[in-house]
Amino acid sequence: MASGALAGKTIHELRALIAQGAISPADLLDDLLARIERINPSVHAYLDIDPERLRQEAEAQLRAAPRGGRLYGIPVTIKDNICVRGEETSCASRILQGFRPPYDATVIERLRREGALILPRANMDEFAFGSSTENSAFGPTRNPRAKDLDRVPGGSSGGSAAAVAADLAIAALGSDTGGSIRQPASFCGIVGLKPTYGRVSRYGLVAFASSLDQIGPLTKDAEDAAILLSVIAGQDPRDSTSAPVEVPDYVAWLKASPKGLTIGIPALPGAEGLSQDVRAAVDQALEAFRSLGVKTVPVELSHIDKAIATYYIIATAEASSNLARYDGVQYGFRAADGAGRSLLDTYLDTRSQGFGAEAKRRILLGTYVLSQGYYDAYYLKGMRVRTLIKRDFDEAFTRCDAIVMPTAPTPAFRLGEKLSDPLEMYLSDIYTISANLAGVPALSVPCGASPDGLPIGMQLLAAPFREEVLFRMAHAYEQARRG
Ligand code: GLN
């Protein structure tokens, strides 16, 4: 087989090939590592690739992997904010450079239990702050689908998305606080799922905004997302916000026809920033759903135009308190102590030198909205609007099974295009963040391309713990598109 031919396959295709004995996990690993070595220097989806060390690591994992596991021999790429025992986990920040967690995140444990090979470390925006992966302290990732590699892959899970899109990963895990799985999935032309809040354990995920964060899969199709979610989902005693809700057989649900289901179509805020190409692609997808026997009804999400303001208050408030622990004492980087420097100086120097500009901006904003005198005006008000947004979704899901809207208002933008204007960057999250505020699951699926070939994604949202509805619809849509 040609080099890279295995790296381009899906989990379900590779599982079948391995089960038939047509290929071995070692063949797959060789193929993938060779491709990473060749392509990663231009895409920069992975941080610090040392192929020899990765190979040795992966081979050791393979020897320990249970043969009957659902992911036996399948490499899964991991975003740099999910703890992998003994592996550097830096959140693409200088302040955590050199930090090696002494334990595995629950999702990593669950992947290993099924025989997966853990492949660290996908690039990201520092601490998951961003929508372009340009905020990585170690250089940006480039969108492999863009000619000349001049576009961003989206963010913050841009390394994970670019790796899957460039066949440098079979599948990946990312994290989504306000769109960080779905928006890069749509920019790179792949599938990405933010599960229901509480569906997947956050134990071992470096916290950004604890009431919004979820780990989820980035994959080549809906079936792979269903496979990965079945492995990582479920209650975990080490995360008290993980829910005691049974995990359905998501893969079995893929085969159920979506006929008879209802899609809700909301009026979209920010219509002036929505590109014609994106609008047309989503309209066409809705037509495809109608021909599959899905009904469509209008629904009202009357408060989602407040989602960006609400999110950037709540998320920064939580981030500022979560980031207070990085003081140079317990983790990673510490600024040099000179003569006459006090403990306070060490804290200040470490944080000034260790955090990048966007992290500092978030800490300042978050500290401000939580401070005495402003707490009621900002944080408390934000929490109230969050409840209204959640109610809009509750109400809408009494009338439909899923809601469809664009994942992002435009296809991938150019590197540097929004970097100097943080507000512009924040506005590109307009369609993704309400799912985090409401805690509902949302899946981004490719639904077309712009005239210059840039992928476009649509987003399907469902009621809490109804991920199977999303998989069922996305799978039927993919089959219909393939024809
Ligand atoms: N782009 C959003 C932000 O900058 C979302 C990031 C995320 O989901 N981690 O906060």
Side-chain angles (χ1 to χ4, degrees):
M1 224 177 280
S3 144
L6 294 178
K9 294 198 180 297
T10 61
I11 298 179
H12 54 96
E13 288 164 345
L14 291 164
R15 271 200 322 195
L17 291 172
I18 292 173
Q20 292 153 14
I23 62 161
S24 71
D27 297 336
L28 168 56
L29 193 60
D30 281 346
D31 191 65
L32 184 63
L33 291 179
R35 189 169 166 85
I36 292 174
E37 203 170 355
R38 206 168 67 242
I39 312 280
N40 193 61
S42 54
V43 174
H44 198 225
Y46 290 88
L47 294 162
D48 325 318
I49 280 294
D50 173 351
E52 215 18 68
R53 201 181 78 79
L54 263 189
R55 184 182 315 276
Q56 283 169 12
E57 259 298 309
E59 281 168 2
Q61 293 184 50
L62 191 56
R63 282 192 292 277
R67 274 181 181 272
R70 282 181 281 171
L71 295 173
Y72 175 67
I74 307 287
V76 179
T77 298
I78 308 297
K79 185 176 181 180
D80 197 34
N81 61 350
I82 301 177
C83 291
V84 178
R85 189 181 51 237
E87 290 288 343
E88 186 168 339
T89 303
S90 78
C91 294
S93 177
R94 290 203 190 288
I95 211 157
L96 272 177
Q97 212 170 359
F99 170 62
R100 290 177 191 273
Y103 65 96
D104 275 335
T106 297
V107 292
I108 301 295
E109 250 177 28
R110 290 188 176 180
L111 288 172
R112 291 197 203 275
R113 210 185 289 155
E114 295 295 340
L117 308 180
I118 303 302
L119 217 58
R121 320 154 44 212
N123 198 10
M124 57 185 282
D125 285 298
E126 179 175 13
F127 282 104
F129 301 149
S131 313
S132 67
T133 313
E134 292 166 295
N135 293 333
S136 166
F138 308 115
T141 298
R142 288 167 184 274
N143 188 325
R145 292 278 156 92
K147 284 190 267 353
D148 310 327
L149 298 176
D150 62 343
R151 306 269 167 165
V152 302
S156 66
S157 310
S160 298
V164 173
D167 298 337
L168 304 178
I170 307 305
L173 290 188
S175 66
D176 191 313
T177 307
S180 275
I181 290 176
R182 291 161 286 152
Q183 183 254 21
S186 83
F187 279 12
C188 291
I190 62 164
V191 169
L193 171 74
K194 181 203 86 77
T196 308
Y197 185 77
R199 179 75 293 184
V200 177
S201 169
R202 292 181 296 110
Y203 178 78
L205 169 68
V206 179
F208 162 1
S210 311
S211 77
L212 301 161
D213 299 339
Q214 272 292 289
I215 296 172
L218 294 107
T219 56
K220 290 170 190 159
D221 64 11
E223 182 165 353
D224 276 6
I227 294 172
L228 277 186
L229 187 67
S230 351
V231 171
I232 62 173
Q235 198 188 10
D236 174 13
R238 291 175 298 190
D239 171 8
S240 61
T241 62
S242 68
V245 177
E246 207 185 315
V247 181
D249 185 345
Y250 295 119
V251 180
W253 270 106
L254 289 171
K255 300 194 191 84
S257 154
K259 201 170 168 179
L261 293 177
T262 305
I263 285 178
I265 307 174
L268 294 174
E272 54 304 334
L274 176 59
S275 101
Q276 267 318 317
D277 296 334
V278 172
R279 190 190 286 278
V282 174
D283 283 346
Q284 224 175 20
L286 287 169
E287 239 358 277
F289 276 121
R290 287 187 196 103
S291 33
L292 287 167
V294 175
K295 286 198 292 280
T296 54
V297 295
V299 289
E300 213 179 318
L301 298 173
S302 44
H303 298 93
I304 58 168
D305 58 331
K306 318 279 188 307
I308 291 190
T310 308
Y311 169 86
Y312 278 96
I313 289 172
I314 296 174
T316 54
E318 294 187 26
S320 69
S321 38
N322 274 324
L323 265 52
R325 73 192 71 172
Y326 305 112
D327 54 10
V329 177
Q330 292 198 60
Y331 304 96
F333 167 79
R334 176 187 302 181
D337 329 294
R341 305 298 283 165
S342 68
L343 177 62
L344 184 62
D345 292 329
T346 302
Y347 292 158
L348 292 174
D349 292 349
T350 299
R351 288 170 69 83
S352 309
Q353 295 165 26
F355 287 127
E358 184 61 26
K360 286 178 187 160
R361 185 176 296 123
R362 305 269 173 138
I363 293 170
L364 291 173
L365 279 170
T367 307
Y368 179 79
V369 300
L370 287 176
S371 58
Q372 204 183 8
Y374 295 104
Y375 182 93
D376 288 4
Y378 293 104
Y379 184 72
L380 208 61
K381 199 168 189 178
M383 291 301 278
R384 293 210 171 104
V385 181
R386 181 178 188 174
T387 303
L388 295 176
I389 292 173
K390 165 99 179 71
R391 279 195 204 142
D392 283 350
F393 278 96
D394 289 347
E395 165 64 26
F397 288 125
T398 62
R399 312 193 43 228
C400 64
D401 301 284
I403 291 173
V404 170
M405 58 170 122
T407 307
T410 63
F413 43 90
R414 286 199 169 74
L415 272 99
E417 194 177 318
K418 297 183 195 279
L419 202 54
S420 57
D421 186 347
L423 262 186
E424 255 310 290
M425 189 77 90
Y426 297 172
L427 288 175
S428 64
D429 299 334
I430 184 158
Y431 301 127
T432 43
I433 52 191
S434 48
N436 303 74
L437 291 168
V440 301
L443 180 79
S444 180
V445 192
C447 69
S450 68
D452 45 356
L454 294 168
I456 293 172
M458 73 170 148
Q459 194 180 190
L460 294 117
L461 302 93
F465 302 101
R466 299 302 307 281
E467 282 84 355
E468 78 278 2
V469 172
L470 306 179
F471 292 137
R472 192 174 156 188
M473 287 191 157
H475 184 68
Y477 173 74
E478 286 173 352
Q479 304 296 102
R481 259 190 105 199
R482 259 177 227 135

